[in-house]
């Protein structure tokens, strides 16, 4: 039977619950699900007998002492209702299930999406195929990224996985629920099948998936996962036969979100639309958690379906925090079993004969969209760790735009290609070799080496002392920029980052600081009398804190003559000696840029009684004076010659 939607009558739902409760078998939380516990609806979809998933508008109220029915919260306001032999009346169920019901549906089963393997390959061809070695030159992922592996469990002490198993920082193994999350001693995750704190793998699928995501690399052992370091959170919801209930899956999703997972790997699925499963994934979406899930391995005929037409879940729920993955072979083509969908399926990934970890410290080959999903999860964790400021939508878009295009995937997956670790992680790489140089008092030249592979352009930001502001945007492949119209003697900081229009901005380059030089004074001149030298100049700086005036003799050392206030343009030197030539040097100064270039001038002070002089522009000029000063001398000389001519000559005188 299909899901019941939009129900407003608890009584109606409870009638259905009685029917299912009457079919109750052995407890769900055994080591496996037996045939006696499973039923199928009219569409052939298997579900767990006697169990119903219900979503209430308010929390249900179960009276104490009522026997035969239990209600357990899975995630948010989604609950698992289990019937019992002592529940014999509608009223008993009605009393137990107070609250308005949004929907109720069977506890459908999910199973792993792997197919039997044949050991034809012994190398990790997938890592080269997705350009993982190139990406490893940039990053081997981050331990801080938490990947919830909802699966059959993980062999947590496998030599390739032990160091990458997540640890609950708020829990210790002391028999208490230290973090008060409802799970006692959940130090490394939880087993939702057996209801204990040891999510060990008794099937093999979960360990294989975990190895593809995060087997430790460069450790001298068998293989390397996409992420050499990461935190794998084991959440066991599938039993030793690879089957599990949606109720356990939903509870595991809630656990993963509450415990801080960044991404959930869901290498399972089925053809049943389940409201509660969709709602749980949507709750994860509200917390920014992405669910990467298998597109499926075809129906009963083993031939891949177009899930745009024949939906497969969770892949087909249409939520933007789902990344649906199909498998490709060594040539980038879809194998016969792989589901596809031009709208529903996001990306292709290697999914044929992938070598990975399995229980008992061993390795094996795996085939299926489950394996393909794990590879994509590893790449997501890599990109998430490298671009830590990006949200799930931005990481998803970088991965889709960074694919390697393959003709066999055109019209089969929305991205048209296969996941590429290098293509995604290099999409918005920050510029390197940044050089910032003040080429004049008002101009800074910036240059860099660009590395981004998907950028639409670069954003240049400048801090003039009040925080960084966007200065300009430049086209893709730009490697230089000239910033003009600056103030002299000021400090400026610059940084850049690549951007993908409408999607994301990459990390910043390093920040470099530069100081524009102070504009020096110009047109320094000097004029002298016997008692003083008057100096004048043009003030060109807008940032000087003072002017430093120095004096010396030509060819000698300078000493500071005066420190003058900003905007000064004239100075009179009265401590001069006649007949002396002085060399003056003038510089602008501030505490940021230091000293400007210097300007110099020579000035000669005239001797006492001599004609006064002046100087300017680096030379001295002699002469000048008032002509009226000569009149008494001229008159005296003229009188002397007049009297001499009138005197009679004396004897013996020439």
């Amino acid at each position: 039977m299909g899901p019941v939607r939009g129900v407003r009558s608890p009584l109606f739902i409870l009638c259905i619950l009685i029917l299912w409760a009457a079919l109750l078998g052995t407890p769900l939380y055994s080591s496996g699900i037996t045939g006696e516990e499973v039923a199928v609806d009219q569409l052939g979809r298997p579900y767990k007998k006697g169990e119903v998933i219900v979503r209430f508008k308010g929390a249900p109220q179960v009276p104490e002492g009522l026997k035969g029915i239990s209600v357990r919260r899975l995630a948010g306001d989604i609950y698992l209702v289990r019937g019992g032999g002592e529940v014999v009346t509608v009223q008993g169920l009605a009393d137990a299930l107070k609250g308005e019901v949004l929907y109720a549906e069977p506890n459908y089963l999910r199973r792993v999406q792997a197919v039997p393997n044949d050991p034809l390959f012994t190398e990790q061809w997938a890592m080269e195929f997705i350009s993982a070695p190139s990406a490893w030159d940039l990053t081997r992922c981050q331990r801080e990224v938490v990947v919830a592996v909802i699966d059959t469990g993980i062999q947590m002490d496998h030599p390739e996985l032990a160091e990458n198993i997540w640890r609950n920082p708020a829990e210790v193994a002391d028999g208490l629920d230290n973090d008060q999350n409802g799970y006692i001693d959940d130090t490394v995750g939880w087993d939702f099948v057996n209801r204990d704190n040891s999510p060990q793998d008794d099937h093999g699928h979960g360990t294989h998936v975990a190895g593809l995501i995060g087997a430790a690399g460069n450790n001298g052992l068998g293989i390397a996962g996409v992420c050499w370091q990461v935190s794998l959170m084991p959440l066991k919801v599938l039993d030793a036969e690879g089957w599990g209930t949606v109720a356990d899956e939903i509870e595991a999703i809630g656990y993963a979100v509450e415990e801080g997972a960044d991404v959930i790997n869901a290498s399972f699925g089925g053809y049943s639309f389940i409201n509660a499963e969709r709602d749980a994934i949507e709750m994860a979406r509200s917390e920014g958690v992405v669910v990467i899930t298998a597109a499926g391995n075809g129906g009963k005929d083993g031939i891949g379906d177009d899930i745009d037409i024949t939906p497969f879940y969770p892949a087909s729920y249409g939520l933007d925090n789902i990344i649906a993955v199909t498998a490709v072979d060594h040539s980038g083509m879809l194998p016969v079993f792989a589901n596809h969908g031009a709208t529903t399926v996001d990306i292709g990934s290697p999914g044929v004969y992938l070598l990975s970890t399995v229980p008992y410290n061993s390795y094996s080959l795996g085939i299926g969209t489950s394996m393909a999903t794990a590879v994509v999860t590893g790449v997501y964790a890599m990109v998430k760790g490298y671009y830590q400021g990006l949200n799930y939508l931005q990481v998803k878009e970088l991965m889709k735009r960074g694919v390697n295009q393959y003709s066999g995937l055109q019209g089969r997956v929305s991205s048209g290609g296969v996941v590429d670790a290098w293509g995604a992680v290099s999409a918005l790489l920050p510029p390197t070799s940044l050089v910032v140089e003040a080429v004049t008092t008002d101009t800074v030249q910036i240059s860099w080496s660009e590395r981004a592979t998907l950028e639409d352009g670069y954003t240049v930001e400048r801090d003039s002392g009040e925080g960084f502001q966007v200065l300009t945007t430049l086209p893709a492949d730009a490697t230089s920029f000239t910033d003009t119209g600056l103030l002299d003697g000021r400090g400026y900081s610059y940084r850049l980052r690549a951007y993908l229009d409408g999607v994301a901005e990459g990390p910043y380059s390093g920040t470099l600081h530069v100081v524009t030089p102070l504009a020096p004074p110009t047109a320094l001149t000097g004029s002298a009398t016997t008692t003083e030298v008057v100096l004048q100049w043009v003030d060109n700086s807008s940032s000087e804190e003072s002017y430093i005036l120095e004096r010396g003799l030509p060819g000698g050392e300078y000493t500071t003559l005066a420190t003058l206030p900003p905007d000064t343009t004239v100075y009179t030197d009265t401590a001069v000696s006649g007949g002396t030539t002085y060399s003056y040097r003038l510089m602008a100064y501030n505490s940021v840029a230091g000293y400007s270039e210097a300007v110099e001038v020579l000035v000669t002070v005239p001797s006492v009684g001599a004609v006064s002089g002046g100087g300017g522009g680096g030379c001295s000029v002699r002469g000048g004076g008032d002509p009226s000063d000569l009149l008494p001398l001229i008159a005296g000389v003229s009188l002397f010659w007049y009297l001499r001519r009138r005197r009679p000559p004396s004897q013996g005188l020439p």
Side-chain angles (χ1 to χ4, degrees):
M1 65 182 295
V4 182
R5 309 186 65 179
V7 177
R8 287 293 180 268
S9 170
L11 186 60
F12 174 79
I13 293 301
L14 297 176
C15 291
I16 298 175
L17 296 182
I18 290 176
L19 177 61
W20 282 328
L23 299 175
L24 180 66
T26 57
L28 172 63
Y29 305 110
S30 61
S31 60
I33 301 174
T34 65
E36 291 77 12
E37 297 177 83
V38 178
V40 295
D41 63 15
Q42 60 265 43
L43 298 179
R45 299 174 297 184
Y47 63 88
K48 189 71 170 59
K49 293 179 181 179
E51 299 186 352
V52 185
I53 297 173
V54 182
R55 186 173 186 183
F56 299 89
K57 276 195 171 181
Q61 300 176 7
V62 181
E64 293 184 6
L66 184 64
K67 298 181 179 180
I69 189 170
S70 64
V71 179
R72 189 179 82 242
R73 178 179 175 273
L74 300 177
D77 52 2
I78 302 172
Y79 292 80
L80 175 67
V81 178
R82 302 180 65 199
E86 297 185 26
V87 177
V88 293
T89 65
V90 172
Q91 188 61 47
L93 287 175
D95 290 341
L97 299 177
K98 295 179 180 178
E100 189 174 3
V101 177
L102 290 176
Y103 57 74
E105 50 201 353
N107 186 10
Y108 285 108
L109 303 185
R110 289 289 189 240
R111 71 173 303 177
V112 298
Q113 288 299 302
V115 298
N117 65 72
D118 190 19
L120 300 178
F121 299 93
T122 59
E123 297 181 356
Q124 289 184 274
W125 68 271
M127 296 302 163
E128 290 285 351
F129 199 75
I130 66 167
S131 306
S134 296
W136 290 334
D137 288 339
L138 287 174
T139 177
R140 284 82 183 270
C141 306
Q142 301 292 326
R143 187 85 63 200
E144 292 74 19
V145 177
V146 179
V147 179
V149 181
I150 299 181
D151 213 285
T152 62
I154 298 175
Q155 184 198 334
M156 294 177 288
D157 60 352
H158 195 295
E160 299 272 32
L161 301 174
E163 67 183 73
N164 284 340
I165 296 299
W166 172 78
R167 299 293 189 271
N168 184 347
E171 190 75 18
V172 294
D174 59 0
L176 303 174
D177 184 10
N178 303 103
D179 57 4
Q180 298 183 352
N181 65 352
Y183 304 91
I184 296 174
D185 291 350
D186 56 322
T187 57
V188 292
W190 195 253
D191 181 344
F192 295 90
V193 176
N194 300 298
R195 308 306 296 177
D196 61 40
N197 66 342
S198 181
Q200 290 287 355
D201 187 3
D202 53 7
H203 177 279
H205 186 268
T207 301
H208 198 279
V209 164
L212 292 170
I213 298 169
N218 200 32
N219 61 354
L221 299 177
I223 66 165
V226 177
C227 283
W228 293 9
Q229 55 182 4
V230 70
S231 291
L232 300 169
M233 180 189 289
L235 302 177
K236 180 177 175 62
V237 302
L238 304 174
D239 64 17
E241 302 300 322
W243 286 91
T245 68
V246 170
D248 286 345
E249 174 205 345
I250 292 169
E251 190 175 0
I253 291 173
Y255 181 98
V257 172
E258 291 178 5
E259 294 301 324
D262 296 289
V263 51
I264 294 171
N265 187 90
S267 290
F268 51 79
Y271 286 90
S272 308
F273 182 104
I274 303 170
N275 284 287
E277 183 179 51
R278 184 187 187 280
D279 287 349
I281 296 173
E282 191 164 27
M283 290 177 192
R285 176 182 181 273
S286 68
E287 299 298 324
V289 180
V290 71
V291 176
I292 302 179
T293 189
N297 296 336
K300 293 180 179 180
D301 57 4
I303 298 175
D305 296 323
D306 184 342
I307 63 174
D308 287 349
I309 300 172
T310 306
F312 184 85
Y313 302 100
S316 296
Y317 284 130
L319 297 172
D320 63 14
N321 68 320
I322 290 176
I323 299 177
V325 183
T326 193
V328 300
D329 60 19
H330 302 71
S331 61
M333 301 295 290
L334 289 171
V336 65
F337 63 81
N339 287 351
H340 54 86
T343 300
T344 304
V345 181
D346 294 290
I347 201 165
S349 175
V352 177
Y353 301 117
L354 302 191
L355 184 66
S356 187
T357 50
V358 292
Y360 304 105
N361 301 338
S362 190
Y363 306 86
S364 183
L365 297 172
I367 304 174
T369 54
S370 283
M371 283 69 242
T373 298
V375 172
V376 172
T377 296
V379 174
Y380 182 95
M382 175 183 285
V383 178
K384 179 69 175 176
Y386 191 78
Y387 297 108
Q388 295 183 15
L390 301 189
N391 62 37
Y392 72 89
L393 282 175
Q394 293 169 319
V395 175
K396 177 180 178 180
E397 190 64 23
L398 289 188
M399 291 174 64
K400 293 182 69 172
R401 294 201 188 193
V403 299
N404 278 326
Q405 296 287 329
Y406 283 89
S407 59
L409 296 181
Q410 303 299 312
R412 299 294 189 92
V413 302
S414 63
S415 66
V418 174
V419 67
D420 188 271
W422 169 254
V425 80
S426 68
L428 295 174
L429 287 177
T432 59
S433 304
L434 184 64
V435 176
V436 178
E437 180 183 7
V439 293
T440 68
T441 59
D442 66 352
T443 302
V444 168
Q445 180 71 43
I446 310 166
S447 62
W448 61 90
S449 297
E450 65 97 17
R451 298 187 299 162
T453 57
L454 289 179
E455 86 282 10
D456 288 325
Y458 288 92
T459 300
V460 181
E461 297 184 9
R462 182 182 70 198
D463 180 4
S464 304
E466 298 179 352
F468 278 100
Q469 302 291 330
V470 174
L471 178 61
T472 188
T473 55
L474 303 173
D477 303 324
T479 58
S480 66
F481 174 71
T482 301
D483 189 13
T484 60
L486 302 172
L487 298 177
D488 70 306
R490 298 290 183 89
Y492 297 94
S493 296
Y494 294 88
R495 66 186 185 186
L496 295 84
R497 61 178 171 179
Y499 72 89
L500 189 57
D501 194 30
V503 177
E505 293 179 308
Y508 285 107
S509 65
T511 297
L512 288 186
H513 187 74
V514 68
V515 176
T516 54
L518 280 169
T522 56
L524 176 63
T525 61
S527 61
T529 68
T530 58
T531 60
E532 65 182 20
V533 173
V534 178
L535 300 167
Q536 292 182 302
W537 61 89
V538 175
D539 173 21
N540 297 307
S541 177
S542 61
S543 306
E544 83 278 11
E545 297 169 1
S546 62
Y547 277 102
I548 307 300
L549 179 63
E550 298 176 332
R551 188 182 72 180
L553 298 177
E557 297 292 329
Y558 282 101
T559 59
T560 300
L561 178 63
T563 300
L564 307 173
D567 303 324
T568 301
T569 58
V570 63
Y571 177 76
T572 301
D573 181 12
T574 59
V576 296
S577 299
T580 304
T581 298
Y582 293 99
S583 179
Y584 291 94
R585 184 167 69 180
L586 182 67
M587 299 167 287
Y589 171 83
N590 74 15
S591 56
V592 175
Y595 297 93
S596 72
E597 294 180 357
V599 60
E600 299 179 354
V601 67
L602 290 174
V603 181
T604 298
V605 177
S607 300
V608 176
V611 179
S612 63
C619 63
S620 298
V621 180
R622 306 293 195 275
D626 189 348
S628 63
D629 294 340
L630 301 177
L631 291 178
L633 177 61
I634 294 172
V637 172
S638 299
L639 178 60
F640 172 79
W641 285 108
Y642 173 78
L643 293 174
R644 193 170 187 273
R645 291 180 62 186
R646 289 181 58 86
R647 180 179 177 183
S650 302
Q651 293 295 327
L653 293 175

